Each structure stands twice: as C-alpha cells, then as structure tokens.
Amino acid sequence: MAKPVLTISSKNYGAWSLRGWLMCRLAGLDFSEKIIPPDDPAMKAEMLLLSSSMLVPSLQHGGVKVWDTLAIGEYLHEIKPKAGLLPADAAARAHCRAICGEMHSGFSSMRGALPMNIKAHFKNFKVWSRAQADIDRIVAIWRECLKAYGGPFLFGKQPGIADAMYAPVVTRFLSYDVALDSACAAYCKRVMELPAMKEWVAAAKQEPEEIDELDAEF
C-alpha cells in the first residue's frame, strides 16, 4: 500500500489543517504531506473560515479518502485503535465526541475575531464580547475535562482527538494574549510542548510569506 498522504494548507494560518495533521501524528500514522499553494481555492476557503468540512485537510489512505476533520479522527481511531485517540470508557468517549462536535460547528465569533496566526503576537489584544463568550465556554470545557479526567490532557494522561481539536485554540490564546487561569494556562503549555506541536510551530515560522486571509474571490 502506498504511503498515506495528508493534504493541508498553511501551517501558520491553517487551523483545520493543524487539527487533522496533529490527529495523524498522535495516531502514529506514517504519512507524507501535500501542501496546497496559497492561491488554491481550498486554501482560501480555510483562511476565510467558510467551513470546517472543506477538502483541507484530507487524508488519502490506500483507496480511502477522508476529508472532514472529525471523520479523519474517527477513521484514525478505527485503523489505529491502540493509539488511544478516543477514551476507552464509553461515557468519556461520548463526552469527548460532544466537545469535539462543539468545536467543529461552533465558536464562530472567537474563530473570526482571533484567526490563527502562530507567527504573530498581539499584546493586550481587546476581545469583543461575543468572542469572549466563546472563550468563556472553551475555558469551561477545559476546566470540566481536566477536573473529571485528572489531566494533564483533556481526557487523561495522553493527548487525543479532543486535544487536537482544541490545539488551534491554544495557539490563538497565546497569539492574542488571552488571560487564563493557572489550570488552563498549564494545559496550553502542555499542548505546546508536545513534540508534534513543536514540529508544526517550527514549520509555521519558516513559511516565507504572509497570506492575506481576506484576499480571496468566490
């Protein structure tokens, strides 16, 4: 079987690409990357936050092609069950799927007001009220999970699909100087210290040119 291929966009701006890529890394999948150019319509669609289900990221694995981020996570769980991407306990697994679904379809105000930009740091960034409401809900989710499952990750001792889904939020909170309590700040630090996250961030910082998220025509 040919080596799996994951199609992604910008590592600096591509939040959904990061989610799919991190899931593959956490699953231990040996894959190659296909990075689409900045003028590709799929790249522009992701930059404009038009959908969480565009063709970026997409995973080609043998004769199987999976392009929705949650579907990628579920597929990886099926082919790599020992990786522990989803919790072993049924109740915890349902909880995990619920908060992943919430990230997949929600928080549009936060995502729009604080677009992912790993290379940037906006000190004392003013967060508007609707975006703050999204931030408050995310923080509540993190606190609940860390308390219920004991940390250091959202569902216990190892990172999984939920952590991948919220990883771009972690980068946003750092880029936009979002104030966090000690538990959530520590969680952000743990996510950023993952070897895979260090690899992604290093690559993002090497991207040669900035992309204007709004410079697109449809």
Side-chain angles (χ1 to χ4, degrees), residues 138-186:
I138 290 168
V139 167
I141 289 171
W142 289 0
R143 288 173 180 162
E144 180 183 13
C145 288
L146 293 170
K147 182 178 179 180
Y149 305 106
F153 297 100
L154 293 180
F155 286 87
K157 294 182 179 180
Q158 67 182 69
I161 286 177
D163 303 286
M165 287 297 291
Y166 284 86
V169 177
V170 169
T171 71
R172 286 176 163 100
F173 286 180
L174 296 175
S175 293
Y176 293 91
D177 220 15
V178 175
L180 298 170
D181 62 52
S182 59
C184 291

Side-chain angles (χ1 to χ4, degrees), residues 57-165:
S58 67
L59 177 64
Q60 184 77 45
H61 184 221
V64 177
K65 184 174 183 179
V66 193
W67 59 89
D68 179 270
T69 308
L70 282 182
I72 290 172
E74 292 285 352
Y75 178 72
L76 290 168
H77 177 65
E78 290 183 1
I79 65 170
K80 296 282 189 178
K82 294 182 179 179
L85 292 181
L86 287 171
D89 177 75
R93 197 160 57 248
H95 187 191
C96 178
R97 286 182 168 125
I99 68 161
C100 288
E102 196 169 345
M103 182 70 253
H104 188 267
S105 60
F107 308 122
S108 58
S109 294
M110 185 277 298
R111 290 191 287 118
L114 283 68
M116 189 170 107
N117 188 338
I118 289 174
K119 290 192 283 186
H121 182 218
F122 304 95
K123 191 175 182 180
N124 300 320
F125 183 80
K126 178 66 175 176
V127 178
W128 62 303
S129 59
R130 289 185 181 178
Q132 186 62 53
D134 283 351
I135 291 170
D136 292 344
R137 173 57 187 154
I138 290 168
V139 167
I141 289 171
W142 289 0
R143 288 173 180 162
E144 180 183 13
C145 288
L146 293 170
K147 182 178 179 180
Y149 305 106
F153 297 100
L154 293 180
F155 286 87
K157 294 182 179 180
Q158 67 182 69
I161 286 177
D163 303 286
M165 287 297 291

